[in-house]
Amino acid sequence: MSPELVYVLLGGALLLAAVLPQALHRWALSAPMVLVAVGLLVGTTAVSGDVVIDPVALRPWIEHLAEFTVLVALMGVGLALDRPLRPRLRASWASWEPTWRLLGIAMPLTIGAVALLAFGPLGVAFPAALLLGAALAPTDPVLASDVQVEGPTLEGDDDDLDEDDEVRFALTSEAGLNDGLAFPFVWAAIFLAGAAPAGGVLLWVGWELVGKVVVGVAVGCLVGWVLARLAFRASRRSLRLAEVGEPLLALSALLLAYGAAEFAHGYGFLAVFACAMTIRSFERHDQYHRHMHDVVERLETLLTLVMLLGLGFAITTGLLANLDWRGVLVGLLLVFVIRPVAGYVSFLGHRKGTRTACLSVPERLVIGFFGVRGIGSLYYLAFALGHARFTEERWLWSAVGFTVALSVVVHGVLATPAMRWLERRRDEAAAEGGGRPGGPGGPDGMARAA
């Protein structure tokens, strides 16, 4: 493929990405679906020439591009959430109950189910099976925009600045935090595939599962606090970037938080999300939050464009070369059975008066079903394959690539109808029980709808 043609294709794709959100607003199609389809089209036409995508050879490129794309998405997610998490307030922790249930119940169930399916009936080596479960379990902050919160809300009193939609909040906050549980299992697969370090299980639990999470969150909060104090409350006006309106602070915060956390051997993904949440907690009504979010969102759009075009192109030029019925079965069961069941099960056993109790049955079904798989799965796989040798390496690439493509299509088609369906049910519940239209309906309204 000539360099000139690459420029033409990228320019056309960028134009497509700019007009797609508005053009597809009323249709059951998502921008990621169309971008992948464009990549597929390019890959099946003569313009692609004899280009063959070998994910093994391109692994470092895939890892770093996917890594930065996820980081940008995590920064955007953290800046978009209106509901604060105040560590000293028990009520604040309780308001995040749906998130904790998805992280503590749904995600481990998903990892275990995928790993056992691949290892048992399908005969995949256990390290590769565990890696497959760990890579495919996290929901993706990049491709789930259709079911996530739209952006920071600035109007209203401090007590009113909260998420109106519990479904979107649960899926958004889960995507922001689930890396803290995915990475320990990725490292467990790496240890099993290679030589486990001294300390074995105790080291894994103490450091990979707990220590790195604490370090990542602590570093992210510290970086976010320092930068927020600087931007909003610095003694010198020239340092108060919020008054100047310079939104590049968001990108600076992203890089500083990630780099500092990785340098301290913590989880950088968690650090970026914690940093964004900390910045969002300062001066919550300030327009600066929206300016930062807009810049991050634009960059995320560009990176997602490249990743999705590349995914579509790779599907037709080598990524699925080693796909067999086992990879197809894993992808189908994960999207249609494992994640939906795990997500719904995670909301069982709640107490009256809690956030989970306010979720209707349809809302729980939607939260369970829309566990979008995407760019993050490609990153985890590339990261692990760069740290250890797995005998099923090429099969893993094909299985994960197929699952991501399947998720893009299925969730992309169903996202708009599902969210509209929920809106109608909420309005009906609000009309019958006096709940709040467009939101969770209030405890009485939605409990009645369940």
Side-chain angles (χ1 to χ4, degrees), residues 52-71 142 258 269 303 306-315 317-320 374-386 393-394 396-398 400-401 404:
V52 176
I53 300 296
D54 182 2
V56 175
L58 296 176
R59 186 206 60 77
W61 292 90
I62 297 173
E63 177 183 348
H64 294 307
L65 183 57
E67 177 183 33
F68 191 61
T69 304
V70 174
L71 288 173
V142 182
Y258 186 70
F269 282 5
L303 293 170
V306 175
M307 289 297 300
L308 292 179
L309 287 174
L311 175 63
F313 186 82
I315 287 174
T317 55
L319 180 62
L320 303 186
I375 308 304
S377 295
L378 297 174
Y379 168 73
Y380 296 122
L381 180 60
F383 175 86
L385 295 177
E393 181 174 1
R394 294 187 179 276
L396 285 169
W397 276 115
S398 294
V400 171
V404 171

Side-chain angles (χ1 to χ4, degrees), residues 75-337:
M75 192 72 193
V77 165
L79 290 173
L81 283 172
D82 294 324
R83 182 174 302 172
L85 179 57
R86 299 184 175 96
R88 297 181 181 180
L89 298 179
R90 185 176 179 180
S92 181
W93 286 94
S95 69
W96 284 62
E97 182 193 3
T99 309
W100 310 137
R101 285 177 172 270
L102 288 171
L103 295 177
I105 302 175
M107 193 170 170
L109 286 177
T110 303
I111 293 175
V114 173
L116 291 176
L117 171 65
F119 175 65
L122 305 186
V124 178
F126 186 69
L130 181 58
L131 175 58
L132 185 65
L136 290 176
T139 54
D140 194 68
V142 182
L143 303 184
S145 58
D146 290 336
V147 292
Q148 290 182 351
V149 299
E150 294 183 357
T153 302
L154 307 177
E155 295 78 18
D157 299 330
D158 278 339
D159 292 338
D160 295 330
L161 287 186
D162 200 347
E163 306 298 342
D164 289 331
D165 194 323
E166 288 292 333
V167 172
R168 292 184 182 275
F169 169 76
L171 291 171
T172 305
S173 56
E174 179 197 11
L177 286 169
N178 57 23
D179 304 289
L181 195 57
F183 256 122
F185 288 93
V186 170
W187 275 110
I190 293 172
F191 292 157
L192 291 173
V201 175
L202 291 178
L203 176 65
W204 179 80
V205 173
W207 180 236
E208 303 296 339
L209 189 60
V210 178
K212 286 187 174 182
V213 171
V214 174
V215 171
V217 172
V219 170
C221 290
L222 178 61
V223 171
W225 183 84
V226 171
L227 292 179
R229 294 281 299 186
L230 181 71
F232 292 104
R233 303 173 187 175
S235 56
R236 297 182 59 181
R237 187 179 184 279
S238 60
L239 296 178
R240 294 197 295 272
L241 296 179
E243 294 185 12
V244 179
E246 177 52 71
L248 290 181
L249 175 72
L251 300 183
S252 173
L254 181 159
L255 297 172
L256 286 171
Y258 186 70
E262 291 293 317
F263 183 78
H265 303 290
Y267 288 134
F269 282 5
L270 274 179
V272 171
F273 181 72
C275 175
M277 287 285 295
T278 304
I279 293 175
R280 180 70 183 96
S281 68
F282 274 72
E283 306 295 341
R284 301 177 66 209
H285 300 276
D286 199 294
Q287 288 286 340
Y288 191 49
H289 293 293
R290 190 166 291 164
H291 296 328
M292 288 190 292
H293 180 264
D294 288 345
V295 167
V296 172
E297 191 175 39
R298 291 289 185 273
L299 180 56
E300 181 185 345
T301 298
L302 291 174
L303 293 170
T304 305
L305 163 74
V306 175
M307 289 297 300
L308 292 179
L309 287 174
L311 175 63
F313 186 82
I315 287 174
T316 57
T317 55
L319 180 62
L320 303 186
N322 293 275
L323 182 66
D324 57 15
W325 66 271
R326 300 178 303 165
V328 173
L329 182 62
V330 168
L332 291 173
L333 288 179
L334 173 65
V335 171
F336 291 105
V337 180

Side-chain angles (χ1 to χ4, degrees), residues 347-360:
F347 291 111
L348 299 178
H350 59 79
R351 302 189 311 275
K352 290 183 178 181
T354 62
R355 291 276 181 171
T356 302
C358 296
L359 291 169
S360 67

